[in-house]
Amino acid sequence: VSFSLNMMGGNTFAQHGHTGKGVVIAILDAGFSGADSHEAFRQLGLNGQIRATYDFVGKTSDVYHCKSDHGTEVFSCIAGKMGGKNMGFAPDATFLLARIMKEYGNEFRGEENFVAGVEWSDKNGATLINSSAGPNDFEYMPEEMDGKTALISRAANLAARKGMLVIAAAGNEGGTRDENLLPPADSDSVLAVTAVNDTGFIADYSSVGPVFDFRTRKPDVCAPGTAIVAYGDNEYGIGDGTSFSCPFVVGFAACLVEMYPDITPLGLMDTLRHSGSLYPYFDYAHGNGIPQASYFFDPPGAMPETFSFGTHDSYTDIIIDDNFMPDCCRKMPTLLFYNLETASGKIYRYGVIEVRSKKPLSIDNLQDVTPGTKLNVSYKGYYASKVF
């Protein structure tokens, strides 16, 4: 099992007999070149797990002989195998593979094909839809990325009403002037996934929230963005992007649908958020954190207080409990997440701090906050808040 899968629970689902069996997943993408012959998917073909394919660009059932293997890479993060080991959480799911766009083609035509792909997915019994390919940041103005303007977002909302949950990549616009969540990740009824690096901190390239009008809390969760992927002719490599954090969550969700077959799309969204490593903490980069498989088999009890608030006249400290100071020899950083939230629920500042001292954060009571401001902090699984 890869390091990326280990960040979400590794073999936990499989050890309990959950591998997405019986769950139908549609992947709407830019092409699946080589997926019909790649050894990563050999068992899927032998077991008849690819239920249907359709190329909405070429109007043919062949999705394998096109230039793009982006969908192939995404597919492998859900159900591929390398050396007999799972590359994703749902190797026993059933799949619908649809090519809806050229990788660098007409984005609006791709959105139209997405609508057709949602209808086709519904007809063929899908429960989950992976959306790792959508419009870029030039197609809509920031104020239009509101979950109800883009055609692809409206189609994703319709999918939820039809009983299918669309799980969407946030986009790879991080660090640019417009790092907004790209449609359909801006939709209320879509589970939006950002990407984190191997430390659990938001990846530099990942798009982040909030949505333009602060109407809802987006993104929902985050997941590792670095993946071992299958591509080309029986080749494997390393990929980076929210395109890969998304299918990791799709495979995770498939195991939950297998466990709870009557769960609704919105119920599944809520369950995935609750399983996040930071829940109930939230920020616009990490959502509720990385979904954890252990949540469903060994639910956390009352967490010990890993920190406390030290309040003074002009400032407030976060004080780390002596028992939870990080080991100085630890290779991976120990992260503290915090945000400042207005009385109306709008987060106006958030950050992540590598804990190296007993007092890693100090808030200026006079400059940083106003009456009613809420300071939310998560550290090593413990969450607490303070209202000023």
Side-chain angles (χ1 to χ4, degrees):
V1 176
S2 70
F3 177 78
S4 296
L5 289 185
N6 280 335
M7 292 178 73
M8 301 177 71
N11 285 322
T12 303
F13 280 126
Q15 289 170 350
H16 287 82
H18 302 295
T19 52
K21 189 174 182 61
V23 180
V24 181
I25 301 171
I27 304 176
L28 310 185
D29 216 284
F32 299 85
S33 177
D36 57 334
S37 57
H38 202 295
E39 65 177 23
F41 311 108
R42 183 171 180 271
Q43 287 300 114
L44 299 177
L46 292 175
N47 295 334
Q49 290 172 245
I50 301 177
R51 175 176 290 184
T53 61
Y54 194 72
D55 182 345
F56 287 91
V57 178
K59 309 302 180 186
T60 173
S61 61
D62 181 9
V63 298
Y64 304 119
H65 297 91
C66 55
K67 291 182 179 180
S68 177
D69 62 358
H70 186 269
T72 306
E73 297 174 29
V74 168
F75 189 14
S76 67
C77 292
I78 302 176
K81 286 184 179 289
M82 185 177 71
K85 294 184 178 181
N86 293 336
M87 299 168 68
F89 288 105
D92 293 328
T94 299
F95 292 90
L96 309 171
L97 308 180
R99 180 179 180 233
I100 60 166
M101 63 192 299
K102 296 179 181 179
E103 194 160 356
Y104 300 103
N106 186 303
E107 302 285 349
F108 291 118
R109 183 62 57 83
E111 288 193 75
E112 293 173 355
N113 289 337
F114 183 89
V115 177
V118 167
E119 294 174 345
W120 176 79
S121 300
D122 184 34
K123 179 180 178 181
N124 285 283
T127 299
L128 299 170
I129 297 177
N130 187 106
S131 178
S132 289
N136 61 42
D137 61 323
F138 299 112
E139 301 303 316
Y140 293 96
M141 298 296 290
E143 60 269 22
E144 294 179 308
M145 296 182 194
D146 58 1
K148 51 192 177 185
T149 298
L151 179 60
I152 194 172
S153 297
R154 286 183 279 148
N157 290 336
L158 177 62
R161 292 198 289 272
K162 291 284 189 177
M164 299 176 289
L165 177 62
V166 174
I167 299 178
N172 297 329
E173 308 302 322
T176 67
R177 184 183 64 180
D178 297 318
E179 54 183 9
N180 309 71
L181 299 175
L182 297 182
D186 58 348
S187 168
D188 285 351
S189 301
V190 168
L191 190 90
V193 185
T194 56
V196 294
N197 58 30
D198 59 6
T199 68
F201 179 67
I202 192 70
D204 292 341
Y205 55 77
S206 181
S207 295
V208 296
V211 290
F212 184 76
D213 57 3
F214 296 92
R215 150 192 48 81
T216 186
R217 292 199 160 196
K218 290 288 173 184
D220 298 281
V221 296
C222 56
T226 299
I228 300 172
V229 298
Y231 68 93
D233 297 324
N234 273 333
E235 295 181 353
Y236 296 90
I238 302 294
D240 289 297
T242 60
S243 286
F244 309 125
S245 55
C246 178
F248 280 143
V249 176
V250 169
F252 189 103
C255 294
L256 295 185
V257 173
E258 182 186 2
M259 292 170 63
Y260 310 110
D262 295 327
I263 197 167
T264 65
L266 296 184
L268 181 56
M269 285 181 68
D270 198 46
T271 300
L272 285 163
R273 293 190 200 105
H274 277 72
S275 73
S277 56
L278 299 177
Y279 185 86
Y281 174 87
F282 167 91
D283 67 39
Y284 294 134
H286 305 87
N288 291 124
I290 304 171
Q292 299 295 304
S294 60
Y295 174 84
F296 302 96
F297 306 102
D298 185 22
M303 296 298 297
E305 295 185 6
T306 60
F307 65 89
S308 59
F309 297 107
T311 303
H312 308 275
D313 290 340
S314 60
Y315 64 94
T316 297
D317 285 327
I318 305 299
I319 306 171
I320 304 299
D321 186 281
D322 289 337
N323 295 320
F324 295 97
M325 283 294 296
D327 185 341
C328 63
C329 299
R330 180 180 169 86
K331 293 183 179 179
M332 294 294 288
T334 303
L335 303 180
L336 179 144
F337 297 76
Y338 79 96
N339 69 51
L340 290 168
E341 179 183 350
T342 66
S344 62
K346 177 181 175 181
I347 296 171
Y348 64 90
R349 174 176 152 189
Y350 64 90
V352 180
I353 297 171
E354 181 178 350
V355 175
R356 295 179 176 177
S357 66
K358 189 171 177 62
K359 297 181 180 180
L361 175 66
S362 183
I363 300 296
D364 190 316
N365 296 345
L366 304 178
Q367 296 186 17
D368 293 337
V369 302
T370 57
T373 293
K374 188 178 182 182
L375 170 61
N376 302 294
V377 181
S378 177
Y379 178 65
K380 296 181 75 70
Y382 174 67
Y383 166 84
S385 61
K386 172 182 172 58
V387 178
F388 292 88

